[in-house]
């Protein structure tokens, strides 16, 4: 499967053709054949919005997980808050993407840390956070089966969704299993599909091309942010010089 919006749209069509209903972590039991589609926003909220619009146009609602500890974006900037709230307004769920590597594993109560970060995200969204996914989870975390806020926040890596569902992911721009073949086989009534919107474009790109493009985009965004905060920036440095 290519990493293009067209190919992703074809995957949605294939799921529908084979009788799968796109569900959330909260209502999948209502359907005989369900697929939970989850998107981890690791580096680029803008790309996530593009994928969300594609889904909306097809009548699909999925789940987007956002970091509150990202070094690439700040969820509290006006632009990012607007984008995240647009995701919610389209009917998608926005949950917490939790990076345990930001904490000292020996000194931190991870469940408490997750709950604290969920509270921050709720302040950003003005909505309750109902689910969490782990970013780069360790073996310990995968086996922990965390119960968060007494179970009111769903752990997407809990046993139900990581083991009892057929889980397939495009991590590091690589489908470790053929997601198309899995759907076509209809061997599973419960699917759990993870994508990373960062990798998707209008045209197919290699991982190197996509990463290079992202770095170039970030240079321009960095200049724009400086311009918002520095008077007469052009007298010191022109954007074309970068």
């Amino acid at each position: 499967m290519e990493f293009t919006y067209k190919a992703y749209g074809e995957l949605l069509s294939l799921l529908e053709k084979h009788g799968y209903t796109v569900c959330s972590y909260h209502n999948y039991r209502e359907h005989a054949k369900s697929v939970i589609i989850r998107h981890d926003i690791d580096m680029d909220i803008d790309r996530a919005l593009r994928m969300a619009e594609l889904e909306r146009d097809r009548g699909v609602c999925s789940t987007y997980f956002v970091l509150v500890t990202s070094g690439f974006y700040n969820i509290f900037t006006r632009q990012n808050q607007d984008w995240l709230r647009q995701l919610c307004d389209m009917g998608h769920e926005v949950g917490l993407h939790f990076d345990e590597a930001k904490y000292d594993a020996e000194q931190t109560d991870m469940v408490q840390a997750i709950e604290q970060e969920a509270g921050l995200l709720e302040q950003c969204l003005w909505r309750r956070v109902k689910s969490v996914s782990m970013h780069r989870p360790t073996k310990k975390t995968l086996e922990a089966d965390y119960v968060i806020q007494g179970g009111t926040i769903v752990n997407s890596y809990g046993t139900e969704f990581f083991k009892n569902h057929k889980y397939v992911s495009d991590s590091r721009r690589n489908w470790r299993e053929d997601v198309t073949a899995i759907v076509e086989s209809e061997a599973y009534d419960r699917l759990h599909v993870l994508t990373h919107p960062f990798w998707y474009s209008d045209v197919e790109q290699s991982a190197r091309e996509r990463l290079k493009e992202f770095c170039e985009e970030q240079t321009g965004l960095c200049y724009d942010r400086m311009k918002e905060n520095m008077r007469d920036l052009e007298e010191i440095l022109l954007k074309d010089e970068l």
Side-chain angles (χ1 to χ4, degrees):
M1 175 177 161
E2 291 188 339
F3 285 81
T4 64
Y5 298 119
K6 179 176 182 292
Y8 180 65
E10 290 170 349
L11 175 61
L12 295 178
S13 296
L14 188 68
L15 287 162
E16 182 180 10
K17 176 183 176 181
H18 287 275
Y20 289 96
T21 301
V22 179
C23 301
S24 72
Y25 291 97
H26 318 289
N27 67 355
Y28 66 94
R29 290 188 180 90
E30 299 172 11
H31 304 276
K33 293 178 68 176
S34 65
V35 53
I36 298 171
I37 299 180
R38 155 191 159 202
H39 309 284
D40 287 353
I41 306 177
D42 291 344
M43 290 181 276
D44 193 335
I45 295 176
D46 188 18
R47 292 276 172 144
L49 190 68
R50 176 74 182 274
M51 189 165 278
E53 290 169 341
L54 184 157
E55 291 174 328
R56 176 201 58 197
D57 292 344
R58 289 173 169 265
V60 169
C61 292
S62 62
T63 306
Y64 288 81
F65 288 103
V66 60
L67 291 157
V68 303
T69 56
S70 173
F72 294 103
Y73 59 81
N74 176 358
I75 63 170
F76 285 99
T77 64
R78 182 171 181 176
Q79 179 67 85
N80 286 333
Q81 278 188 310
D82 285 346
W83 281 340
L84 291 172
R85 290 170 186 168
Q86 284 180 48
L87 288 175
C88 296
D89 291 342
M90 281 188 267
H92 303 295
E93 180 178 342
V94 176
L96 173 67
H97 200 26
F98 179 77
D99 187 0
E100 63 183 288
K102 301 291 185 180
Y103 297 89
D104 183 335
E106 300 300 322
Q107 302 294 325
T108 303
D109 180 329
M110 289 299 176
V111 171
Q112 184 179 69
I114 291 168
E115 292 172 348
Q116 289 173 341
E117 287 196 11
L120 288 173
L121 183 55
E122 287 177 342
Q123 292 177 38
C124 171
L125 299 174
W126 300 342
R127 292 171 172 86
R128 191 167 71 85
V129 170
K130 299 186 291 183
S131 55
V132 60
S133 75
M134 307 305 173
H135 182 55
R136 302 176 296 178
T138 62
K139 185 173 183 291
K140 179 181 178 181
T141 293
L142 291 176
E143 294 175 349
D145 210 10
Y146 292 135
V147 177
I148 304 157
Q149 281 192 356
T152 60
I153 293 181
V154 172
N155 175 10
S156 70
Y157 277 106
T159 299
E160 174 64 19
F161 302 107
F162 194 56
K163 295 182 179 179
N164 295 344
H165 282 60
K166 176 57 180 177
Y167 177 79
V168 58
S169 166
D170 69 354
S171 295
R172 294 180 64 87
R173 200 187 171 281
N174 176 35
W175 289 100
R176 286 163 175 75
E177 297 180 75
D178 187 336
V179 63
T180 299
I182 288 171
V183 174
E184 290 177 335
S185 75
E186 297 189 32
Y188 308 93
D189 291 334
R190 299 280 185 254
L191 299 180
H192 185 188
V193 177
L194 165 61
T195 82
H196 295 78
F198 173 82
W199 295 115
Y200 291 78
S201 304
D202 288 313
V203 297
E204 179 75 344
Q205 295 178 297
S206 67
R208 183 181 187 279
E209 288 170 334
R210 176 67 192 110
L211 291 170
K212 183 173 183 292
E213 179 184 64
F214 176 71
C215 290
E216 291 169 347
E217 290 169 349
Q218 292 305 299
T219 299
L221 289 172
C222 178
Y223 185 92
D224 291 342
R225 287 192 291 267
M226 284 195 296
K227 189 174 180 179
E228 290 172 359
N229 291 277
M230 184 180 295
R231 189 185 309 112
D232 301 325
L233 176 61
E234 294 93 338
E235 295 180 6
I236 305 170
L237 176 69
L238 293 174
K239 192 173 186 178
D240 291 345
E241 297 180 68
L242 300 176

